[in-house]
Amino acid sequence: MEAREVIAALADGTITVRRSARRRKTISVSRDHGSYVVAVPARYDVDRHAGDIGSLIARLEKRARTAPRGDAELERLAAELNDRCFDDGIAPASVRWVTNQRHRFASATSATREIRVSDRLREVPRWVLESVLVHELAHLRVPDHSAAFTALTRRYPDTDRAEVFLTGFSYGETAAEASARHRD
């Protein structure tokens, strides 16, 4: 976010400033119901440092786009995607990261409605993880990879792009394993 955008957002209330007499040097930014809250020292010149605030907001947004780190965050993301892409009353019973999936990216058990996601995907871009979750959510409805299943996965707009990413990701993992074996 550029300085002029920060100043405009301050004017329209998208960014709120909270001044503190106890805060001496640091500033921080957080999200609050769709707007930003900037905590600053009491004498901080917000207009003069709008670029710094914009940089902090950009970092906050980048962090929000990364994959969820914990099971609770992963489950929230799956629930959001389930509502957005399906909204038919079928929901997963649990969604969690697992460490024992070395050859699959994720799996779903339709009988128990459990979704397990390989921890190898913790560092992939969020849109890739979202595509994997939509794939597994689709399996709660259709257990095979039929045309009906494919139609469900296509409700996520970045499915094709994520498949290309995952193909390269898988190739990279395989190549790295082969290289490690070759060195031994």
Side-chain angles (χ1 to χ4, degrees):
M1 185 177 266
E2 293 187 26
R4 61 181 169 70
E5 295 172 302
V6 169
I7 292 169
L10 286 164
D12 71 16
T14 306
I15 297 177
T16 306
V17 176
R18 288 195 186 140
R19 297 185 180 278
S20 169
R22 291 178 29 179
R23 189 178 283 266
R24 296 285 177 215
K25 296 180 181 178
T26 62
I27 64 172
S28 66
V29 177
S30 60
R31 297 262 305 152
D32 185 34
H33 302 294
S35 63
Y36 298 100
V37 177
V38 181
V40 300
R43 296 184 196 179
Y44 190 80
D45 186 345
V46 175
D47 291 336
R48 184 171 155 224
H49 296 286
D52 297 333
I53 294 169
S55 295
L56 280 177
I57 290 172
R59 284 192 358 221
L60 179 70
E61 289 301 313
K62 182 178 179 186
R63 202 174 311 129
R65 287 189 302 269
T66 61
R69 300 297 174 238
D71 288 346
E73 292 174 54
L74 185 66
E75 197 157 338
R76 272 194 299 278
L77 178 59
E80 174 191 314
L81 290 165
N82 196 46
D83 290 345
R84 187 172 12 143
C85 296
F86 302 106
D87 196 26
D88 59 4
I90 299 172
S94 70
V95 182
R96 61 190 171 93
W97 294 107
V98 295
T99 58
N100 63 349
Q101 287 189 356
R102 303 290 6 117
H103 300 288
R104 293 180 182 200
F105 295 121
S107 61
T109 306
S110 55
T112 60
R113 296 186 348 269
E114 293 178 87
I115 295 175
R116 293 157 305 283
V117 180
S118 174
D119 68 337
R120 297 167 16 240
L121 298 183
R122 283 186 190 262
E123 300 303 321
V124 301
R126 185 181 180 103
W127 55 270
V128 174
L129 178 62
E130 288 179 354
S131 177
V132 170
L133 285 170
V134 169
H135 180 101
E136 299 309 325
L137 290 165
H139 273 310
L140 298 182
R141 291 147 179 89
V142 179
D144 57 29
H145 287 103
S146 64
F149 170 81
T150 301
L152 290 175
T153 64
R154 297 285 180 238
R155 292 181 180 184
Y156 185 73
D158 287 324
T159 297
D160 292 333
R161 194 167 71 124
E163 286 176 5
V164 171
F165 181 97
L166 291 168
T167 299
F169 183 84
S170 183
Y171 179 81
E173 284 183 322
T174 302
E177 289 169 9
S179 177
R181 280 194 307 271
H182 181 68
R183 279 182 286 193
D184 293 340

